[in-house]
């Protein structure tokens, strides 16, 4: 489990934004802090990546990821968020595990140092991704950008990964924008209606004036007045 609030916030942000990235892909399973058992009959061989992505497996609830029940498909992408207490030995074991059991992309982020590292599978081993700033994940299509103070992750559509609070704020802004547009359209329709009513009233008044004029001409003609020469 997460050991501090910042680590948990990053796990949630990455996991949930990946869910948003693949909402209609029924064969992309994404999980956070879920035990992955790659070898049947050996429960001691396990890891719980902070976030893992498995292409080729259905979405759904799981108490753990038992690879032998999942067409023997390992997670292709894993993320780890470093903690102050993580040791080199611990991280080396994780790297060896992910390398041995088929992970294709392995990303490690240290929020305290704002440091991002990535490894990409080459044959049976990992190669270090030399430049992570601007790197695009081959599997996920997401882009990593390191600013002076933070890590930004951007989806293939250009949408930045946001926290749940930021997503809610964005949704509220969108709701308010839509409400303003609706009010503006309603006001415009009311103005058009008022203009239409004013035009109708003017036409009716003009019709009345025409009728009065015709009545006046008829009265003059009845009195023998030549209206053509008026």
């Amino acid at each position: 489990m997460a050991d501090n609030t910042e680590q948990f916030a990053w796990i949630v942000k990455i996991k949930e934004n990946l869910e948003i990235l693949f909402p209609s892909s029924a064969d992309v399973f994404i999980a956070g802090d879920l035990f992955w058992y790659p070898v049947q009959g050996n429960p001691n061989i396990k890891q719980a990546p902070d976030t893992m992505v498995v292409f080729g497996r259905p979405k759904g609830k799981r108490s753990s990821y038992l690879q032998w029940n999942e067409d023997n498909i390992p997670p292709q992408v894993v993320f780890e968020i470093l903690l102050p207490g993580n040791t080199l030995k611990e991280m080396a074991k994780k790297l060896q595990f992910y390398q041995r059991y088929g992970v294709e992309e392995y990303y490690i982020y240290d929020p305290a140092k704002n440091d991002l590292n990535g490894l990409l599978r080459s044959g049976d081993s990992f190669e270090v991704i030399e430049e992570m700033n601007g790197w695009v994940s081959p599997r996920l299509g997401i882009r990593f950008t390191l600013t002076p103070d933070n890590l930004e992750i951007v989806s293939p559509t250009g949408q930045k990964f946001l926290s749940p609070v930021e997503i809610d704020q964005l949704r509220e802004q969108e709701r308010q924008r839509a409400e303003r547009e609706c009010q503006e359209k309603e006001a415009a329709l009311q103005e058009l209606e008022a203009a239409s009513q004013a035009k109708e009233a003017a036409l009716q008044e003009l019709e009345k004036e025409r009728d009065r004029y015709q009545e006046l001409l008829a009265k003059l003609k009845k009195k023998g007045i030549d209206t053509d020469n008026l």
Side-chain angles (χ1 to χ4, degrees):
M1 296 295 292
D3 287 352
N4 61 51
T5 56
E6 187 170 25
Q7 186 202 27
F8 182 73
W10 271 104
I11 293 172
V12 170
K13 177 186 284 190
I14 292 172
K15 189 265 182 186
E16 293 305 317
N17 280 271
L18 288 174
E19 294 277 16
I20 292 170
L21 186 59
F22 297 100
S24 58
S25 299
D27 62 344
V28 179
F29 173 66
I30 301 167
D33 200 36
L34 183 72
F35 274 121
W36 161 27
Y37 296 89
V39 181
Q40 186 174 9
N42 196 335
N44 293 322
I45 300 177
K46 63 182 178 180
Q47 279 294 341
D50 288 335
T51 302
M52 66 180 185
V53 184
V54 190
F55 290 87
R57 296 308 302 152
K59 299 182 186 299
K61 297 179 180 179
R62 291 167 174 80
S63 58
S64 59
Y65 189 81
L66 307 177
Q67 188 171 314
W68 57 91
N69 289 335
E70 306 283 355
D71 286 345
N72 207 34
I73 297 175
Q76 292 93 350
V77 186
V78 299
F79 293 82
E80 292 286 355
I81 309 300
L82 285 184
L83 296 166
N86 285 133
T87 64
L88 287 175
K89 182 179 180 181
E90 176 187 358
M91 297 312 297
K93 284 184 176 180
K94 286 187 176 184
L95 188 151
Q96 290 172 355
F97 181 96
Y98 296 146
Q99 181 173 266
R100 179 174 182 179
Y101 292 107
V103 170
E104 297 175 10
E105 302 176 39
Y106 177 26
Y107 300 106
I108 310 147
Y109 180 57
D110 184 347
K113 298 179 181 179
N114 189 31
D115 182 50
L116 176 67
N117 289 281
L119 299 107
L120 191 65
R121 178 165 293 277
S122 177
D124 294 330
S125 62
F126 281 139
E127 287 187 358
V128 174
I129 300 168
E130 295 297 337
E131 181 55 67
M132 282 303 303
N133 193 19
W135 172 260
V136 177
S137 161
R139 272 285 189 175
L140 305 175
I142 59 177
R143 185 178 73 253
F144 301 92
T145 301
L146 283 165
T147 70
D149 303 314
N150 198 21
L151 167 64
E152 291 184 354
I153 305 175
V154 181
S155 75
T157 61
Q159 177 63 51
K160 186 169 73 171
F161 277 27
L162 302 173
S163 70
V165 172
E166 290 170 328
I167 291 173
D168 184 68
Q169 290 173 342
L170 191 63
R171 183 168 52 242
E172 177 62 19
Q173 291 171 6
E174 180 62 22
R175 186 194 66 78
Q176 292 177 359
R177 184 195 63 78
E179 187 174 309
R180 285 195 302 271
E181 285 188 356
C182 184
Q183 291 173 348
E184 289 170 358
K185 288 179 181 178
E186 186 175 342
L189 286 173
Q190 290 175 348
E191 289 180 4
L192 286 173
E193 182 66 22
S196 177
Q197 291 175 353
K199 182 179 179 181
E200 182 65 24
L203 289 173
Q204 290 176 356
E205 185 61 31
L206 183 62
E207 184 67 20
K208 290 178 182 178
E209 287 295 327
R210 189 187 67 80
D211 291 344
R212 286 195 290 268
Y213 178 70
Q214 292 298 328
E215 289 176 5
L216 178 59
L217 289 179
K219 289 179 180 179
L220 291 175
K221 285 182 180 180
K222 189 175 182 180
K223 293 181 178 181
I225 299 173
D226 185 3
T227 57
D228 294 333
N229 294 321
L230 288 178

